[in-house]
Amino acid sequence: MSERTLKASEPFVRTVKRVERSKSGIFKLRILALVLALVAGGLFLMFIGFNPIKLYSTIISGAFRSEMAIQATIKIMIPLLMASLGVTLAFKMRFWNVGAEGQIIMGAIFSSYFALFHNDWPHLLLLAVMFLAGFLGGGLWGLIPAFFKAKFNTNETLFTLMLNYIALHTISFLRDGPWKDPESSGFPKIARFVSNAQLNKVFGVQIGWIIGLILVVIVLIYLKYTKQGYEISVVGESHATAKYAGMNVQRIILRTMLLSGGIAGITGMVQSSGSDMTLAASVAGGVGFTAIIIAWLADLNPVSILVISFLFSVLEKGSSVMQSTYGLSAYSADVLQGIILFFVLGCEFFIRYKFIFRGKGGGR
């Protein structure tokens, strides 16, 4: 095959992994992405007839304008933080767990059983059992794809994704069948948890925020300073290297997914008993998918996850205030959030990769 034919067969554009950028270069790129996001979002707001400066200021002030607003912002952050920590463990191992939604739901289901049918137990004992049940529910749901991945090398992305829908329909089955509230009128629902099965509040917010902070410390120590965390990193880099070093790759996969799903399950317990006060189909509410974005933006760093989860909650709470203050439609608010995320995520892409175009003299 001639050199000209080889050059012509090359794609016009391809992506190539960059040599590691300097910290100053990464910082400048992220600032540029933020500026471009604000400009593009401002153009969108101007196009639909609003003053972008006023709306942006409303987003910031809306998340902190009162004690109640701050509490609502923290409440939004809790599941984002915890679910992001959960998927981080799996992603560190290069196990693409997109099933946090299902794991959150199963954690909520397992813990809700005790909230509904054993709510006469002592308060602290009941919450402790619900906490363990939530971890177990999410962990077992995470173990299913882990087992098939370790044993048969199945595609974990599709497997975990499909399990989300099974978990969601399990709630529907329970709501319409064995766990249906006999006192519900109209649409079927599951009974509200009694106060004994609800999480306590600290500074006006359910204690899930304390659990989240504790998990940040635990996951950080686990990944950076333990043998198991080191094994996760090695398996993520190369299964062959891990096996050569004498590591049991199958056991590491199973153990890590038990923890990953378990943390997501705790998220479900916290949401159902701390925020919803019942088991609802919306208990996950897309948090599992948003957690994937947060984990990657944070470069799988637990401390960075804490910061980015907070920023996401500010954006979400502020957008809802902006929506109600200016009569902006929910779709327009979602589009604005999408524009901002598009530029931020695009920035992360260009930090890691670059485009190579086929030149007249051949690809370079």
Side-chain angles (χ1 to χ4, degrees), residues 169-226:
H169 288 298
T170 300
I171 286 188
S172 300
F173 164 73
L174 294 172
R175 181 196 62 206
D176 298 340
W179 289 7
K180 180 181 177 181
D181 182 6
E183 297 182 3
S184 65
S185 57
F187 294 105
K189 64 181 180 68
I190 294 172
R192 182 180 174 85
F193 297 167
V194 299
S195 59
N196 191 48
Q198 297 176 13
L199 287 179
N200 301 79
K201 293 184 177 182
V202 177
F203 300 124
V205 185
Q206 49 116 327
I207 61 171
W209 68 271
I210 297 178
I211 297 173
L213 292 177
I214 293 172
L215 285 174
V216 169
V217 176
I218 292 174
V219 173
L220 178 65
I221 293 173
Y222 183 78
L223 289 176
K224 286 198 170 187
Y225 303 107
T226 67

Side-chain angles (χ1 to χ4, degrees), residues 104-287:
I104 291 170
I105 291 171
M106 293 309 295
I109 290 175
F110 273 53
S111 62
S112 294
Y113 167 78
F114 294 96
L116 292 169
F117 302 107
H118 298 282
N119 51 36
D120 57 341
W121 289 2
H123 180 61
L124 292 180
L125 174 63
L126 177 59
L127 291 183
V129 171
M130 289 170 61
F131 184 89
L132 292 174
F135 178 87
L136 184 63
L140 291 176
W141 210 243
L143 274 180
I144 297 173
F147 171 79
F148 282 92
K149 176 68 174 182
K151 200 74 174 175
F152 306 109
N153 196 33
T154 55
N155 185 308
E156 71 271 18
T157 305
L158 293 176
F159 208 128
T160 52
L161 183 63
M162 292 301 102
L163 285 176
N164 289 339
Y165 299 101
I166 296 175
L168 182 61
H169 288 298
T170 300
I171 286 188
S172 300
F173 164 73
L174 294 172
R175 181 196 62 206
D176 298 340
W179 289 7
K180 180 181 177 181
D181 182 6
E183 297 182 3
S184 65
S185 57
F187 294 105
K189 64 181 180 68
I190 294 172
R192 182 180 174 85
F193 297 167
V194 299
S195 59
N196 191 48
Q198 297 176 13
L199 287 179
N200 301 79
K201 293 184 177 182
V202 177
F203 300 124
V205 185
Q206 49 116 327
I207 61 171
W209 68 271
I210 297 178
I211 297 173
L213 292 177
I214 293 172
L215 285 174
V216 169
V217 176
I218 292 174
V219 173
L220 178 65
I221 293 173
Y222 183 78
L223 289 176
K224 286 198 170 187
Y225 303 107
T226 67
K227 175 188 174 185
Q228 290 82 3
Y230 174 72
E231 289 175 341
I232 289 174
S233 299
V234 175
V235 170
E237 290 298 323
S238 169
H239 283 201
T241 302
K243 290 177 181 177
Y244 183 78
M247 298 178 185
N248 187 328
V249 173
Q250 291 187 354
R251 184 178 64 189
I252 294 169
I253 291 174
L254 292 172
R255 181 184 66 210
T256 304
M257 275 305 294
L258 173 66
L259 295 174
S260 176
I263 292 176
I266 292 172
T267 307
M269 177 269 175
V270 168
Q271 278 298 96
S272 58
S273 59
S275 296
D276 299 337
M277 312 305 180
T278 185
L279 177 63
S282 59
V283 64
V287 164

